[in-house]
Amino acid sequence: MSNLSRRAVLSGATAVAGAGALPRPARAAGEDGTRAGTADGLVTVRPGDPRYGDLVVGNNQRWVASPEAVHLVRTTAETVAVVAEAVRSGKRLSVRSGGHCYADFVYHADADVIVDLSTMNRIGFDTGRQAFMVEAGARLGEIYDTLYRRWGVAVPGGVCPYVGIAGHATGGGYGLLSRRHGVVADHIEAVEVVVADEEEGARAVIASRESTGALRELWWACTGGGGGSFGVITRFWFRSAGASGPDPGGLLPRPPQEMLASFGELPWEGLTEEAFTALVRNFGTWYTDNAAAGAPLDSVSGGVFLRHRANLAIPVLCVMDGTVPGAEGMLAEHVAALTAGTGMPDLPARRLAWLDLVRLIGNLDPGTLTDSTKRSAVKSAYMRGPFTRAQCAAMYAAMSREDYANPEATVTLYAVCGGPGNDVPEDAVAYAHRNASYLALFESFWSDPGEDEAHLAWQRGLYADVFADSGGYPVPGDRYDGCYINSPDPDLTDPAYNASGVPWHRLYFKDNYARLQETKRLWDPADVFRHRHSVRLPS
């Protein structure tokens, strides 16, 4: 298991800007004293610099930018200065936080200037806001380490240690704790955002859960409306809704003291379509039947990784709160329900500390989660019920093809929906997928650029076959609940692939999109912050 990176963390209280002021017409703002100015000592990398090649491409080698400059900002003031200069000079901005993006939201052909926040990664507790301050460049691994070791708390995010918090949180952010504690966006108390300003080029504002008017709308838009649409988020403050008191340990979810985990693999050798279908449908049925379950079943989570037969086996992971009385029996019953009819042997259970489990899972598959040299394509589907037998047959056919043998082609079924997280109203925060039972990701990873068309054709063909009954995409309704913005899919806007007649923004944001558009009009009427799937200005 590789070690998680450990960055220097901010101890004690962080310095916090002042409260928000009344909005100005068409340029609502908060007063925090951070205005456009100079950025002495700003680290800027231009073409010809040995670092340039590493800073214009992310975790998907399909997308490479060629900007005039990459600015590695270290403070909010530097970010304001960079944005202000770009606005004044008419340069196209693109924003990178701390992690990776599978589409070209950051590294695209039109980017003149990239604002890179990866070195802004401090983490601490803000006594003034009574919330945990996390800078936008921090990654999940270091956030989990710091929050858990110092205060015994966590945000319910994903397991890949290299995911950046900004994109993760603004798109929703799910993980093994989400069935019990919702998504990361549910726990955002406030955000500091550098916005474009007509008078000064740029300024920083703080928008919080307690804000009113335009500031409240900006906070809301940053809780699931996706990154890169309204401004540059430089800091988050996390505190669970309704949490209060002087003890930091009571302001965010506390992970279980101990986790119980069962892990095993179903070999492809001899695997029949009937056994494959049983596994897929068992998973979907159990999580659909228990989507509204309360404790202790809301602590059950895990995943099934339907890898291509070239990988030789299909991993299955089941976890739950190990402190629940009778946890061993409950997890064994769950495993039996998932593996019934598959011929899979019993999965041994193992007790692990929560942080050790997160690290273990995050490093189980470095080829797809952490390898930044890969090319990739990802599609998603929020499911409200089990896949049909016809859909399972399409998956089995694609995963057992002999003329396409990619061990890193996978359909992953994630148990990250349901439980109390689904009790949150769809418009409480901008993240709207509260009707789903589980999430399916259709992924392919490869290395050779010459193989792009073969891998894309395989993935597109599989996805189209699985969702043929709804125009090729999981249209929100009785069976599906749309797509996940943090698994961005460029094909969403192409009618050759999305024949559903349902626009991309409904698949990502459902009925929340109109409100996101109004927030865009308030805070970014010049559309300074935009990418392929950013929120559009209202017509």
Side-chain angles (χ1 to χ4, degrees):
M1 186 186 306
S2 63
N3 293 323
L4 296 175
S5 61
R6 289 175 170 81
R7 306 284 181 95
V9 299
L10 179 66
S11 59
T14 59
V16 182
L22 293 175
R24 296 200 298 256
R27 292 285 178 179
E31 290 297 332
D32 72 350
T34 308
R35 300 287 180 175
T38 61
D40 296 333
L42 174 68
V43 177
T44 297
V45 175
R46 302 184 187 278
D49 189 300
R51 296 167 292 178
Y52 183 83
D54 292 329
L55 295 175
V56 297
V57 62
N59 227 52
N60 185 348
Q61 294 288 318
R62 288 174 60 202
W63 313 112
V64 182
S66 55
E68 299 172 7
V70 179
H71 300 292
L72 289 98
V73 295
R74 299 162 298 177
T75 65
T76 299
E78 287 187 350
T79 308
V80 169
V82 168
V83 172
E85 177 55 31
V87 170
R88 283 193 292 263
S89 60
K91 302 293 186 183
R92 176 73 180 271
L93 273 170
S94 189
V95 183
R96 185 221 176 197
S97 295
H100 53 258
C101 178
Y102 287 123
D104 59 347
F105 290 5
V106 175
Y107 303 106
H108 55 79
D110 296 329
D112 297 318
V113 174
I114 292 178
V115 185
D116 188 317
L117 293 96
S118 59
T119 60
M120 290 183 64
N121 55 11
R122 297 181 304 164
I123 303 162
F125 184 73
D126 183 335
T127 56
R129 297 203 75 92
Q130 283 296 104
F132 297 90
M133 190 285 300
V134 179
E135 287 187 326
R139 296 181 177 186
L140 294 185
E142 58 211 25
I143 293 169
Y144 294 153
D145 263 6
T146 304
L147 293 184
Y148 189 66
R149 291 185 182 281
R150 294 201 57 178
W151 297 285
V153 299
V155 290
V159 294
C160 176
Y162 303 108
V163 167
I165 188 60
H168 194 58
T170 55
Y174 61 76
L176 296 178
L177 300 178
S178 289
R179 279 174 46 80
R180 174 169 285 182
H181 298 294
V183 294
V184 176
D186 293 330
H187 302 272
I188 297 175
E189 189 276 330
V191 286
E192 179 180 67
V193 190
V194 175
V195 296
D197 184 273
E198 196 171 60
E199 298 174 6
E200 303 182 53
R203 59 198 172 99
V205 301
I206 293 177
S208 76
R209 188 186 284 131
E210 290 77 29
S211 295
T212 59
L215 281 171
R216 179 61 156 69
E217 293 304 290
L218 179 60
W219 166 83
W220 180 86
C222 293
T223 60
S229 287
F230 310 101
V232 182
I233 296 178
T234 51
R235 289 189 288 180
F236 293 84
W237 287 266
F238 291 101
R239 186 179 71 234
S240 300
S244 62
D247 179 14
L251 301 180
L252 277 178
R254 282 188 173 274
Q257 183 176 350
E258 190 174 51
M259 297 293 288
L260 193 64
S262 291
F263 178 80
E265 293 186 331
L266 180 62
W268 262 104
E269 184 177 358
L271 182 64
T272 64
E273 182 178 326
E274 290 75 17
F276 179 95
T277 298
L279 179 62
V280 175
R281 285 180 56 78
N282 289 346
F283 184 96
T285 298
W286 194 94
Y287 282 102
T288 299
D289 290 346
N290 292 280
L297 290 181
D298 59 16
S299 77
V300 176
S301 185
V304 171
F305 306 87
L306 303 168
R307 294 174 178 166
H308 191 279
R309 73 160 57 246
N311 196 278
L312 304 181
I314 295 174
V316 177
L317 171 71
C318 303
V319 303
M320 74 170 295
D321 182 347
T323 67
V324 171
E328 291 87 350
M330 293 175 59
L331 188 62
E333 289 182 8
H334 174 63
V335 171
L338 259 59
T339 59
T342 66
M344 191 172 187
D346 292 338
L347 305 185
R350 177 182 177 188
R351 288 187 174 272
L352 293 164
W354 172 78
L355 193 57
D356 287 339
L357 177 66
V358 171
R359 289 172 174 166
L360 175 65
I361 298 172
N363 289 280
L364 281 176
D365 195 356
T368 58
L369 289 176
T370 62
D371 189 345
S372 62
T373 69
K374 297 289 185 180
R375 305 170 76 79
S376 62
V378 181
K379 295 178 184 289
S380 63
Y382 280 102
M383 300 295 297
R384 299 193 65 185
F387 285 105
T388 66
R389 293 186 181 280
Q391 290 173 315
C392 293
M395 290 186 210
Y396 182 81
M399 289 300 174
S400 57
R401 274 177 54 178
E402 295 184 359
D403 61 337
Y404 177 82
N406 180 7
E408 293 182 321
T410 307
V411 176
T412 302
L413 310 179
Y414 278 122
V416 293
C417 309
N422 274 19
D423 293 336
V424 177
E426 286 194 353
D427 61 352
V429 297
Y431 177 83
H433 304 285
R434 305 295 183 171
N435 292 320
S437 304
Y438 59 101
L439 177 67
L441 296 181
F442 297 69
E443 306 168 295
S444 186
F445 299 81
W446 65 96
S447 299
D448 186 353
E451 298 177 357
D452 284 5
E453 289 307 313
H455 295 287
L456 291 171
W458 174 87
Q459 186 216 34
R460 287 166 172 164
L462 167 59
Y463 196 77
D465 288 345
V466 170
F467 297 106
D469 64 343
S470 55
Y473 273 84
V475 176
D478 293 339
R479 297 183 58 200
Y480 314 122
D481 204 40
C483 301
Y484 184 41
I485 183 65
N486 282 358
S487 295
D489 174 11
D491 291 343
L492 266 176
T493 54
D494 190 337
Y497 306 110
N498 180 8
S500 69
V502 176
W504 63 273
H505 51 78
R506 175 153 181 77
L507 290 160
Y508 282 150
F509 307 118
K510 299 171 65 177
D511 292 339
N512 286 342
Y513 188 63
R515 186 174 172 185
L516 290 169
Q517 285 187 292
E518 282 302 306
T519 306
K520 177 76 168 179
R521 182 184 62 79
L522 282 171
W523 288 98
D524 188 25
D527 203 19
V528 170
F529 303 99
R530 64 191 188 275
H531 52 70
R532 183 189 293 263
H533 290 162
S534 58
V535 173
R536 307 292 196 258
L537 287 164
S539 299

